[in-house]
Amino acid sequence: MNVLVILAVMLCMAMVMIGGKTGAISFLSLFLIFLVLLGTVYMMNDPANDPILWVIIACVIISCINLFFINGINTTTLAAFLSTVITMVGLLLFILFMSDLTMINVFGEEEVDELSLLSLYIGISFAELAAVVIIISTIGAITDISISITSPMREVYLHNPGMSRRELVQAGFAIGRDLLGTSTNTLFFAFFGSYLGLLIWFKDLSYSLGDIVNSKIFAAEMLTILCAGIGIALVIPIASWITAFLLVRKK
């Protein structure tokens, strides 16, 4: 516990020293988002509440904290927020369809021993719960890409106020192409690092490539990465169009 406190203090000091007031606000936002996630888990624990509805509310609140609380309300954050919400809703519908199609809403045989003493009658749809896990895992990447596109587009427009809406959209696409590859690689490395032990376990069990691909655990994580990559790709044109519309309209 003392180590965690020391690391948290070191993180706070580093963010304040480098980011100043914005760094302090960003550090505070981490605790606010943590409280939002705890509240979401508490509300979803009630069978009378719809997990999909509460994850949408949580993602909207998280987006507001990441964008408006840290950077204030302006054209850049408003465009990023709108593009994040639109992408999130469309992606959520796609995730619900894909989670049902791939049948990842059940546990794999690797998890049977751990769950043998537990009751699975918790009153929550595992299909919806799987979709909730995926959308929460992707909201951070989508928000990051959206603000990474809208902010440079605003700077480009401030230095070239005579640009048309079409030229602004092209500038947004150019920025998004540079971010697309690195962001998807980040998601892949995050998965590989988190589930390195699982991959070693597969090797010790002499799993073939077909067994690994058809494993429920592996399929669920790959679906998370692929859906996050799709969300990143979709938010690029949406953020570019919305930002260009708001900037030219504001002029």
Side-chain angles (χ1 to χ4, degrees):
M1 184 64 182
N2 293 332
V3 176
L4 298 179
V5 174
I6 293 174
L7 289 176
V9 172
M10 292 176 62
L11 175 62
C12 180
M13 292 176 60
M15 295 179 69
V16 172
M17 291 174 60
I18 296 176
K21 181 180 178 181
T22 304
I25 295 175
S26 300
F27 183 79
L28 178 61
S29 67
L30 295 177
F31 291 95
L32 296 178
I33 292 174
F34 179 71
L35 293 177
V36 171
L37 293 177
L38 284 182
T40 304
V41 173
Y42 176 79
M43 296 305 298
M44 288 192 301
N45 192 41
D46 188 353
N49 294 329
D50 186 6
I52 301 300
L53 176 61
W54 280 104
V55 76
I56 292 176
I57 295 175
C59 289
V60 170
I61 297 175
I62 291 172
S63 300
C64 290
I65 294 174
N66 281 332
L67 297 172
F68 300 136
F69 180 71
I70 297 176
N71 302 301
I73 301 176
N74 49 56
T75 305
T76 301
T77 54
L78 180 60
F81 175 76
L82 293 176
S83 58
T84 299
V85 172
I86 294 173
T87 305
M88 180 195 66
V89 173
L91 188 64
L92 181 59
L93 298 176
F94 177 75
I95 290 173
L96 287 172
F97 171 75
M98 291 303 299
S99 61
D100 183 65
L101 182 64
T102 55
M103 294 184 293
I104 63 168
N105 51 343
V106 294
F107 296 99
E109 59 183 10
E110 297 86 2
E111 302 168 304
V112 172
D113 293 337
E114 299 177 2
L115 299 172
S116 59
L117 300 178
L118 303 177
S119 174
L120 301 180
Y121 297 97
I122 60 176
I124 301 176
S125 172
F126 284 104
E128 294 181 350
L129 190 60
V132 167
V133 172
I134 295 175
I135 196 64
I136 290 179
S137 302
T138 59
I139 184 63
I142 294 175
T143 306
D144 179 63
I145 291 296
S146 62
I147 193 65
S148 298
I149 293 176
T150 58
S151 182
M153 285 183 65
R154 181 173 177 268
E155 293 298 320
V156 170
Y157 185 72
L158 290 177
H159 288 82
N160 301 276
M163 295 181 66
S164 64
R165 184 172 297 167
R166 180 184 180 86
E167 292 173 337
L168 272 177
V169 171
Q170 292 176 350
F173 272 80
I175 297 170
R177 293 190 194 99
D178 295 335
L179 298 172
L180 185 59
T182 56
S183 299
T184 51
N185 285 335
T186 301
L187 296 173
F188 173 76
F189 290 133
F191 159 77
F192 193 85
S194 300
Y195 281 85
L196 184 60
L198 177 65
L199 298 177
I200 296 175
W201 188 23
F202 284 158
K203 179 182 178 298
D204 292 339
L205 294 177
S206 301
Y207 271 35
S208 65
L209 181 60
D211 293 332
I212 295 175
V213 172
N214 288 283
S215 172
K216 295 289 183 181
I217 303 177
F218 183 83
E221 294 305 318
M222 287 304 300
L223 182 61
T224 302
I225 295 175
L226 295 176
C227 288
I230 293 172
I232 290 173
L234 290 178
V235 78
I236 292 174
I238 294 175
S240 300
W241 290 329
I242 292 177
T243 306
F245 174 79
L246 292 178
L247 289 175
V248 175
R249 182 186 180 188
K250 185 177 180 180
K251 180 182 69 172

